[in-house]
Amino acid sequence: MRKPIIAGNWKMFKTFDEAVEFAENVREKVPSEEKVDAVICAPAIYLPTLVDIAAETDLAIGAQNMHFENEGAFTGEISPSQLASIHVDYCIIGHSERREYFNETDEAVNKKVRAALMNGIVPIICCGETLEERESAKTEEKVASQVTEALEGFSPEEVKHMVIAYEPIWAIGTGKTATADDANAVCGKIREVVEGLYGEETASTIRIQYGGSVKPENIEELLSKEHIDGALVGGASLQADSYLALLNQAA
Ligand code: G2H
């Protein structure tokens, strides 16, 4: 049995005070980490404070992006070793917004995944198709190639510790959700790709989330599907009550 993982992705939302208020409000209310992994991926400048607030609780803190080098002349970037030095546990890698607006490539995603693992950070690797790709029946091809490139060059043991998030781009922040069956079919395809690359044991261990307009009203059905092990949640993770409702349904 794979433990569900619900990760909030706050994107570029919340003031510092709002972030602190949220974390203080939810930290004692998140379900036990024996039942569900609860993560909040926050803007980088809030991470040290949120890590402190979440210390000794079942809430884990993640970043939304990082560089793949541990140090260097990369003005404005944040490195994996810097994130590790403040005890950040997770990092979203290759979110479609980063691929679209910041030209992040599959090659960079692969390097970032490696850098995350080297620093003890769990990568949440995003993949997903555009509406145009879906309408021209290229969903599986696109997702398979993103996953294959992101996972290139690892050992099965390393891959088991990763999380993959399937986020159809047309469902992100639009209110449109893939049907649970469609989402499950693509997550199943991702598992097949992992099995082809790293074998059955790794494929049945790695956790695959669905993302794209997940909310308390639709999470139960999504999580009831065989290949969906959690959710990467944007909008519905911004309010403490809906974030907790998602966690409680997953637990
Ligand atoms: C997809 C998701 C979180 P939302 O980007 O990664 O956002 O739930 O708002 O569609």
Side-chain angles (χ1 to χ4, degrees):
M1 267 302 283
R2 296 179 293 265
K3 182 170 42 154
I5 171 166
I6 306 296
N9 173 12
W10 281 356
K11 307 192 180 184
M12 201 172 68
F13 290 100
K14 286 196 185 293
T15 63
F16 178 73
D17 288 348
E18 288 166 350
V20 168
E21 187 188 350
F22 178 108
E24 285 179 341
N25 185 3
V26 306
R27 68 174 168 182
E28 301 296 350
K29 297 181 190 150
V30 300
S32 161
E33 69 178 352
E34 282 170 21
K35 293 189 171 162
V36 58
D37 282 326
V39 187
I40 285 290
C41 298
I45 53 170
Y46 304 157
L47 292 174
T49 305
L50 296 182
V51 166
D52 278 352
I53 295 172
E56 315 290 326
T57 74
D58 292 316
L59 178 65
I61 302 299
Q64 299 173 11
N65 178 43
M66 60 179 210
H67 199 275
F68 48 78
E69 296 286 356
N70 277 337
E71 60 181 14
F74 300 106
T75 301
E77 289 292 307
I78 294 171
S79 86
S81 59
Q82 289 170 334
L83 292 175
S85 75
I86 59 160
H87 311 294
V88 164
D89 292 323
Y90 293 84
C91 186
I92 300 172
I93 293 178
H95 190 280
S96 61
E97 289 152 14
R98 296 221 48 92
R99 294 176 189 259
E100 182 178 355
Y101 307 129
F102 303 96
N103 303 319
E104 199 153 297
T105 62
D106 287 325
E107 190 190 349
V109 168
N110 177 260
K111 287 182 179 170
K112 290 181 181 196
V113 172
R114 174 160 304 288
L117 291 187
M118 303 272 288
N119 284 281
I121 293 169
V122 177
I124 299 176
I125 307 161
C126 299
C127 62
E129 82 286 6
T130 62
L131 186 56
E132 199 186 342
E133 288 161 342
R134 169 155 288 249
E135 286 175 344
S136 50
K138 295 212 167 90
T139 298
E140 292 197 355
E141 187 187 317
K142 170 73 176 292
V143 167
S145 99
Q146 286 181 322
V147 170
T148 302
E149 295 204 38
L151 265 53
E152 200 197 319
F154 294 99
S155 69
E157 211 44 50
E158 287 174 317
V159 175
K160 282 181 195 168
H161 292 103
M162 301 175 187
V163 175
I164 295 177
Y166 165 57
E167 298 204 320
I169 295 167
W170 49 271
I172 294 177
T174 58
K176 292 182 193 159
T177 323
T179 67
D181 284 331
D182 282 349
N184 185 53
V186 182
C187 292
K189 174 68 194 175
I190 292 169
R191 215 176 285 289
E192 247 178 70
V193 170
V194 175
E195 182 171 353
L197 294 167
Y198 289 107
E200 200 279 327
E201 197 195 331
T202 302
S204 60
T205 305
I206 192 170
R207 291 182 294 177
I208 304 175
Q209 299 173 308
Y210 168 77
S213 299
V214 174
K215 40 190 184 280
E217 297 75 41
N218 60 22
I219 195 165
E220 189 182 347
E221 193 188 0
L222 287 161
L223 292 184
S224 72
K225 301 295 173 186
E226 180 185 357
H227 296 294
I228 302 178
D229 307 316
L232 184 56
V233 189
S237 74
L238 289 168
Q239 303 305 324
D241 54 356
S242 63
Y243 178 66
L244 289 168
L246 293 165
L247 292 176
N248 286 325
Q249 291 194 64

